[in-house]
Amino acid sequence: MGPVRTELMWQAVVDAVEVASDAVPGEGLNVLDLGGGTGSDAVRLAHLGHRVTVVDPSPDALASLHRRGVEAGLEHTVRGIQGDAADLLDHVEQSSIDLVICHGVLEHVDDPGQALATVATVLRPGGHASVVVSGRNAAVTARALAGDFIAAQTLLGTTSTTWDTQTMGPRRFVLEEVQELLGAHGFVTVATNGLRVFADLVPSAIVDTEPGARDALYALERLVRTSSDFTSLSAGLQSIARLDLNSAPSDTGGKHAAL
Ligand SMILES: C[S@@+](CC[C@H](N)C(=O)[O-])C[C@H]1O[C@@H](n2cnc3c(N)ncnc32)[C@H](O)[C@@H]1O
């Protein structure tokens, strides 16, 4: 097994694919990995038989993605496009996607609501989105454990909408904020998982040197991921959501306005 963090994040993708595949049985999915970076998940998804489009603003990340795709012989099922959440509709057809992976991206975009509205527009009705964001409570805990109590208090007093990414860095969320955003853009949340409740707090010296520690930590994380007691403290908050067939029009003025 690779690093625990990497495997937990990949498992979050697998969990989302499982939910989305129930709605599209028998054939591979059309997957959009928004902000998919260097494409390690995208290439693994293509290995499983899915057709994957990565849209990411970083040319360096896309170059790595291209290399990975060629090395794996999967360059025809993984394509990279330079773009971002704001201009997504210039690159991806409306209602063409079965599953959008949006992991670690809403922290960086100018307007998370606009990003989800656009995600809704490229999804086919009944399609799914998997959203992973950084947990604010985990950040508070990490600051406090590091002895930076003032920073911990500052984070506690902030919400994802009052967060200033210019001065505070990538935005952090609590689960209720993500679910509210998803609901406001026509999504019904079907599953929530807490990713990395412990993995970011445990010193890597323990995980990398103790025999069996990596597997045991992975197993522990998988055990607690659906427990609401632990989810609120996790460093990664995953929401898997279905685009409601009767969803209200999104504010991109997209095709779902006709539903
Ligand atoms: C933390 S990385 C996450 C990468 C990958 N999704 C993962 O889960 O490992 C954030 C990614 O979002 C991309 N990104 C930054 N701003 C973006 C935007 N406005 N729209 C789409 N992607 C963006 C970055 O280039 C980077 O690849």
Side-chain angles (χ1 to χ4, degrees):
M1 184 172 70
V4 174
R5 187 184 191 286
T6 307
E7 283 313 305
L8 289 169
M9 296 311 290
W10 166 243
Q11 200 55 50
V13 175
V14 172
D15 289 344
V17 165
E18 204 174 292
V19 171
S21 295
D22 283 348
V24 189
E27 48 182 283
L29 301 172
N30 288 328
V31 181
L32 166 68
D33 194 348
L34 178 59
T38 57
S40 57
D41 289 341
V43 171
R44 287 174 93 170
L45 278 169
H47 265 299
L48 296 179
H50 305 292
R51 300 163 294 280
V52 190
T53 302
V54 173
V55 173
D56 198 288
S58 161
D60 290 348
L62 291 170
S64 299
L65 164 74
H66 181 69
R67 266 196 308 278
R68 279 181 205 261
V70 170
E71 276 165 23
L74 291 165
E75 66 271 31
H76 300 300
T77 43
V78 187
R79 65 181 180 135
I81 297 173
Q82 189 171 2
D84 61 29
D87 67 7
L88 186 60
L89 296 177
D90 294 342
H91 309 294
V92 179
E93 216 179 301
Q94 295 184 8
S95 302
S96 63
I97 301 293
D98 299 309
L99 171 65
V100 174
I101 305 285
C102 180
H103 290 187
V105 176
L106 295 187
E107 295 90 328
H108 303 280
V109 298
D110 290 338
D111 181 348
Q114 182 277 332
L116 288 183
T118 311
V119 164
T121 304
V122 299
L123 274 176
R124 63 169 180 74
H128 289 78
S130 173
V131 175
V132 173
V133 294
S134 300
R136 191 162 66 245
N137 292 337
V140 171
T141 306
R143 298 290 192 290
L145 288 179
D148 195 346
F149 308 118
I150 304 290
Q153 277 194 38
T154 305
L155 292 193
L156 259 185
T158 313
T159 69
S160 63
T161 40
T162 61
W163 193 279
D164 178 0
T165 51
Q166 299 296 324
T167 58
M168 299 175 72
R171 199 179 281 111
R172 311 279 176 150
F173 295 80
V174 294
L175 199 53
E176 292 70 25
E177 291 167 344
V178 185
Q179 290 181 342
E180 225 168 83
L181 268 179
L182 283 165
H185 293 92
F187 288 94
V188 177
T189 299
V190 295
T192 54
N193 292 315
L195 312 174
R196 309 190 330 269
V197 174
F198 310 108
D200 292 10
L201 297 173
V202 184
S204 56
I206 294 179
V207 183
D208 294 339
T209 56
E210 294 273 339
R214 194 180 289 196
D215 288 347
L217 173 58
Y218 179 79
L220 178 65
E221 290 278 7
R222 293 294 289 169
L223 260 186
V224 298
R225 81 186 198 287
T226 53
S227 155
S228 55
D229 292 336
F230 287 99
T231 301
S232 59
L233 284 176
S234 67
L237 306 173
Q238 181 182 28
S239 304
I240 303 174
R242 187 185 65 247
L243 185 62
D244 191 349
L245 292 170
N246 302 309
S247 69
S250 71
D251 57 13
T252 58
K255 190 172 176 179
H256 295 295
L259 292 173

